[in-house]
Amino acid sequence: MKALFLSGHVSLNMEPEGIRIRQGEKSRVISPPYLPYDTIVIQNAHGYVSFHALRILTSLKVSIALLDFQGRLMGQMAPYDRRTGALEMKQFLAASDRKKRLAIAKRIAIEGYKRRGMNPAFSEAKTIPELMRMEAVTADAYWNSWKIKLGQAWPEHDFDRRQNPMYSSRVRAVNRVNAVLNYSYALLDSACRT
């Protein structure tokens, strides 16, 4: 899969020579039926896509995804024969199977903490709630050690803990360090989506 990422002032328009793709001051024309992309991702952009260009792109089986400034999917246009639903069906079936759901959750937790240099005994969890409790204890230990390392590099930091005492969600940061962490996680989320 090869995606074209566009942001800022963008336009896609059909001309006699082909599809003109304009981003800011840069412009190029690609002549159908050759199009080197199967997805066009447009994030936080202003401009337009002509109906003629949409018709040609969907006939060439190119999907278009619109993302907001945080990288969240706002909408998409995908050719009919590309959306088989096979992946969604596999995900639904896996989530419906308790053993598969637990195995997937364990794998995510194990890999996440392995990258942090930790090796908790998540594989011993028998249920999702048990795994969640184990992960919460491990997360507290991780953030406590992270706070110590942060203090060595930045003694005047304002980080106390990851949880926000006023909200159950970590979305609203109450100090600078948590604001930076939230922003960094949003960047990673955006990079994964695009």
Side-chain angles (χ1 to χ4, degrees):
M1 178 170 154
K2 188 167 181 187
L4 170 64
F5 180 77
L6 300 172
S7 185
H9 185 72
V10 170
S11 67
L12 287 96
N13 190 35
M14 277 305 298
E15 295 183 356
E17 302 83 32
I19 297 177
R20 179 168 297 281
I21 301 170
R22 185 172 281 126
Q23 181 172 358
E25 300 297 318
K26 296 180 181 176
S27 173
R28 62 185 161 149
V29 175
I30 300 176
S31 300
Y34 171 74
L35 199 67
Y37 309 105
D38 55 7
T39 302
I40 297 175
V41 178
I42 303 172
Q43 181 176 11
N44 197 28
H46 54 279
Y48 69 94
V49 179
S50 72
F51 282 117
H52 194 178
L54 283 176
R55 191 174 71 247
I56 297 300
L57 289 169
T58 54
S59 72
L60 294 172
K61 304 194 180 18
V62 175
S63 64
I64 299 172
L66 298 175
L67 308 178
D68 67 8
F69 70 100
Q70 291 180 323
R72 290 184 299 236
L73 183 66
M74 294 171 53
Q76 70 180 50
M77 176 173 279
Y80 280 117
D81 54 357
R82 288 200 48 168
R83 294 184 58 96
T84 63
L87 177 61
E88 290 85 355
M89 185 57 74
K90 286 180 183 177
Q91 290 171 335
F92 178 76
L93 291 172
S96 300
D97 183 317
R98 287 183 182 174
K99 287 183 179 180
K100 282 186 181 178
R101 186 172 63 222
L102 179 60
I104 292 167
K106 283 181 184 180
R107 181 71 184 208
I108 291 169
I110 289 168
E111 291 299 319
Y113 282 97
K114 187 188 292 182
R115 285 194 297 272
R116 296 175 179 131
M118 301 176 78
N119 192 19
F122 291 149
S123 59
E124 296 173 12
K126 303 285 187 252
T127 64
I128 293 282
E130 182 183 355
L131 178 63
M132 290 172 69
R133 283 190 295 275
M134 292 170 75
E135 195 279 332
V137 170
T138 305
D140 284 343
Y142 169 76
W143 287 112
N144 285 336
S145 66
W146 191 83
K147 179 181 174 181
I148 292 167
K149 290 178 184 176
L150 179 64
Q152 293 167 352
W154 184 20
E156 62 276 2
H157 72 79
D158 61 356
F159 182 79
D160 179 39
R161 58 188 184 143
R162 191 69 179 118
Q163 286 80 15
N164 184 326
M166 298 173 63
Y167 304 99
S168 60
S169 168
R170 295 178 182 164
V171 174
R172 298 177 178 97
V174 292
N175 56 45
R176 292 175 296 170
V177 174
N178 275 311
V180 169
L181 287 168
N182 288 353
Y183 180 68
S184 301
Y185 285 131
L187 290 176
L188 286 171
D189 182 52
S190 176
C192 289
R193 288 176 186 274
T194 50

